Each structure stands twice: as structure tokens, then as C-alpha cells.
Amino acid sequence: MISTLDLCTVFDLNKAEKDLRFGREPSIQFDKPVGDTLLVVDPSQADFEKWRQVPSGPYLEHLDALCAKWGHKLKVRFYGHYGQVFDGAVLKRLPNIGSLSVDCLQEAINLEAIAELEHLRKLHLGVFELEDKSILSTLPLKQLRELMLSQTNTRALDLAPLAEAANLERLYLEGHSKGIAALAELKGLESFTFNPKKGSDLSFINGMRGLRALKFNLGGTETIEAIALPELQDMAFTRTRGLSELGDMQRFPKLRRFMMQDQPHVESARFGAENTDLEHLWFDNCKKLSTLYGVEECPKLESLRWLFTEKAPASLALPRSVTHLFMLSGKRGEEAAEKAVIEKLGYTAALHREAMFSYK
């Protein structure tokens, strides 16, 4: 009898369909190569003896039928495979996949099978030892709505083919920059997350005229002054090395939320009356930040979160529209007293529920 430790474990499909009916978007995950037998588990059931072994054929047929019915609301994920190679040939048994994640893998073969998935709309590709540097040219790019490319052991992956992904709405890049200027052709892209290569020209982003969310996650750049996006609503920076200059943020008139975390070199930020839609500002662990220009002119500003600052809340000029102010020094034992000062000024000393958004 095959040991359960050697079997690929998967979730019960009946439970997954129940989740789909309730509006949730479950993920069916394969942690090992798919053999003749699978181990079906119930995450809510801790009794290993009640887990059951099933033949993989009927299970994959059932899964494919669910993919055909629910489309990209049902994610199929292949990950892990520690010490083993993922074989993309298994995808031929799941032709109706709408959302696919092939990630957290060391090696993979037969990835060309992805090109045959006619219903694929969302794809996450993360194979560290990716041998085919031109793999993007083989993917069904024109039908994709979301694409996530995780880091590989090479930076030679060519991004130029992505210019053909005319229907792409969300793009996440981790550690890839070759041919990135071609992304200027993505006029319909709504969300772009990446880690820029220090010293690179960021003006290509201006070609993404429909961009609603722009997120710098790691990477490096000294300035974003070359970027101006009339429709941008969310902007975030997290540990972007060397960033020191933002420029006048009024060139983003539709900006609604701004987040900056762990940026030690930024000394000031300038907003103003042209930021007519700005509602939430978030600064976290920006040690040199001392001045916020023009925030008193922002007519819709509702909240300001500023952590690890020596600035006194009473010293700020804020518009009357502000209701939430969360300014803390980070000093041990001082939080309660600092919140009391903020409340005395007439503000709610808490994070506004609409201020938070994913930085990835």
C-alpha cells in the first residue's frame, strides 16, 4: 500500500463547490506530482484516518468539470514538489482551467501545455530554475486578464511579448526587467506591481493611461518624477531602495490613497488643491520624513496615518474634512497618551477602514 506521505494531497471537491456557491473562490492545490492515486483531505477534519485515497482520473475529471462551470473563480495550483519536477503534461487533463498557479517550484517541464488552455484568464508562473527565457512568447497572452511572474534564478526573461497582452488588467512582476519598456503598450492595464531596477527609466509607465493602482514593492529608484498618470487612484511604496524624491503629487489628480512604508530617505511629500480626490495618506517608518506640504488644501482628505514620527499632531495644518488621525512615535509605553492627545484635538485616533489596501 502506498504511504500517504508519498501521495499528492488535495481538497475535497464537493466542499470546494459549496464554497463557490456561497461566493467564495477556493483553490485546489497539488503539492506533489499527480500519480494514479490522490489523498483527499478535509482542512476542517484533523482526524487523518478519515482522509481517503481516490484514483486521480475521476478526481481530475470532476475538477475539470468544475473549472468549466465556474471559470476563473476556481483556482488550480501546483506548488512545492520538493525534490521533484513539476510536469506540465498534467494540464492536458484539465483543459477548462480558468485560473492557474504554477508557483513555488524549483523545476518544471512541459510548460508549453499552458498555451493550450483556451479558457485561461489568470496565471501565476513561479518556477525558479526556468530554462525557457522566451516562455512568455508561448503563453496565451491575448486572453489573459491577470498575470503574476515570480522571481527566477535568471534576469534574462524577456518581457517584450507582454505588449501583446491587450486584455491584461492586473500585472505583478518580481525580479524581471528585460524588455520592460514594452509594457507601455498596455493601455488597458489597471493594476501594476513591480520592483524597479535602480537607475532604469520609468517613463514607460506613462503609456499605461488607464492605470488605477501602481505599487513599488522592493526594487530601487531615486525618484518617480518622470511618472504622471491622470487616472491613478492608489499608489504604494514598500522598501524601495534609494527613493528620495516624489515630486509634486498634484500630477496625480485622481489619487485617492497613498501608502509609503519603510522609506528612510524621503524627507518631504507635496500634495495640494489639484489632489481633488485624495482621501487617505499613510506613512509608516519613514524616518527622515518631516514635512507634508499642501495637505491642508486637499478638499476630501479623511485620514492621515503617520507612524514612527516625532511630529506633534497639533503642529499639522489639516483640512476640516479629516476625521481620523493616527500619529504615533513608536516609543515604548507612550501610545495611550499619544492617542489621548489626538482624541482631544477632535480626531479619531485609529486607522480609517478605507485607508488600507494591499501593497502587492
Side-chain angles (χ1 to χ4, degrees):
M1 184 174 180
I2 299 176
S3 169
T4 56
L5 296 176
D6 297 324
L7 293 177
C8 176
T9 57
V10 289
F11 292 158
D12 186 281
L13 293 180
N14 292 322
K15 185 180 185 304
E17 185 162 26
K18 183 178 180 180
D19 287 342
L20 287 161
R21 287 173 179 160
F22 277 95
R24 294 185 283 268
E25 298 188 5
S27 176
I28 301 300
Q29 307 189 47
F30 298 83
D31 63 343
K32 296 181 181 71
V34 176
D36 294 332
T37 305
L38 299 171
L39 181 65
V40 177
V41 303
D42 184 343
S44 64
Q45 179 56 260
D47 188 351
F48 289 88
E49 293 183 359
K50 293 187 178 180
W51 294 0
R52 66 187 191 278
Q53 297 183 35
V54 301
S56 60
Y59 183 93
L60 293 177
E61 289 178 8
H62 187 185
L63 175 56
D64 191 56
L66 290 180
C67 290
K69 180 178 180 179
W70 295 98
H72 61 74
K73 293 181 179 180
L74 176 60
K75 178 194 286 187
V76 179
R77 183 188 184 208
F78 297 89
Y79 75 105
H81 288 53
Y82 301 111
Q84 299 171 296
V85 177
F86 168 70
D87 189 348
V90 69
L91 300 176
K92 295 180 180 295
R93 303 168 71 180
L94 298 166
N96 289 296
I97 288 179
S99 177
L100 172 65
S101 184
V102 178
D103 71 295
C104 292
L105 293 164
Q106 191 72 17
E107 298 179 73
I109 59 174
N110 295 321
L111 290 179
E112 62 273 10
I114 297 175
E116 300 176 19
L117 300 175
E118 298 180 359
H119 305 281
L120 190 63
R121 297 297 179 269
K122 299 181 179 181
L123 174 63
H124 177 188
L125 186 60
V127 180
F128 188 68
E129 295 184 13
L130 188 64
E131 294 184 357
D132 187 357
K133 308 305 184 294
S134 61
I135 189 172
L136 295 183
S137 64
T138 70
L139 297 180
L141 295 175
K142 293 182 179 180
Q143 66 193 48
L144 290 183
R145 299 293 187 274
E146 296 184 14
L147 176 62
M148 182 175 183
L149 297 175
S150 294
Q151 189 171 1
T152 63
N153 65 348
T154 176
R155 296 177 179 243
L157 187 68
D158 189 4
L159 300 176
L162 292 182
E164 301 299 319
N167 294 307
L168 204 60
E169 298 170 358
R170 297 175 61 86
L171 176 61
Y172 178 100
L173 299 178
E174 182 182 1
H176 302 290
S177 59
K178 182 180 179 180
I180 199 170
L183 303 187
E185 299 300 318
L186 301 180
K187 311 299 183 185
L189 196 67
E190 296 180 4
S191 177
F192 181 40
T193 303
F194 78 127
N195 35 29
K197 183 179 180 181
K198 192 171 183 178
S200 60
D201 182 3
L202 300 180
S203 62
F204 73 91
I205 296 176
N206 294 328
M208 306 174 183
R209 304 298 292 176
L211 209 60
R212 299 293 189 273
L214 176 60
K215 305 171 187 180
F216 294 78
N217 187 31
L218 305 178
T221 186
E222 294 182 358
T223 177
I224 60 163
E225 290 183 289
I227 304 174
L229 295 165
E231 301 299 323
L232 193 70
Q233 297 176 3
D234 291 337
M235 177 179 278
F237 297 89
T238 301
R239 299 182 182 179
T240 304
R241 295 188 307 275
L243 181 67
S244 60
E245 182 57 55
L246 301 174
D248 192 336
M249 298 298 291
Q250 292 183 92
R251 65 189 187 280
F252 305 105
K254 295 288 184 69
L255 191 65
R256 178 173 174 246
R257 297 181 294 192
F258 179 85
M259 175 189 292
M260 195 165 68
Q261 303 179 96
D262 302 316
Q263 298 300 155
H265 303 298
V266 177
E267 298 180 1
S268 65
R270 181 177 296 277
F271 301 89
E274 296 300 314
N275 294 118
T276 55
D277 291 344
L278 186 62
E279 297 177 359
H280 307 288
L281 290 174
W282 177 315
F283 302 97
D284 192 346
N285 194 29
C286 301
K287 295 180 179 180
K288 286 189 177 180
L289 183 66
S290 60
T291 309
L292 298 180
Y293 295 105
V295 291
E296 71 278 7
E297 301 174 11
C298 300
K300 291 185 179 180
L301 189 65
E302 294 183 36
S303 78
L304 169 61
R305 171 186 166 110
W306 194 350
L307 298 187
F308 303 104
T309 177
E310 296 296 329
K311 202 80 172 176
S315 69
L316 295 182
L318 298 174
R320 293 183 178 181
S321 54
V322 174
T323 58
H324 290 63
L325 183 62
F326 196 64
M327 292 181 65
L328 301 177
S329 67
K331 294 179 179 178
R332 186 184 298 273
E334 297 294 323
E335 182 173 338
E338 291 171 351
K339 285 184 176 180
V341 170
I342 293 171
E343 297 281 356
K344 191 173 181 179
L345 291 172
Y347 302 107
T348 299
L351 178 64
H352 194 290
R353 64 180 184 178
E354 295 295 325
M356 181 64 180
F357 66 99
S358 172
Y359 63 87
K360 291 186 177 181

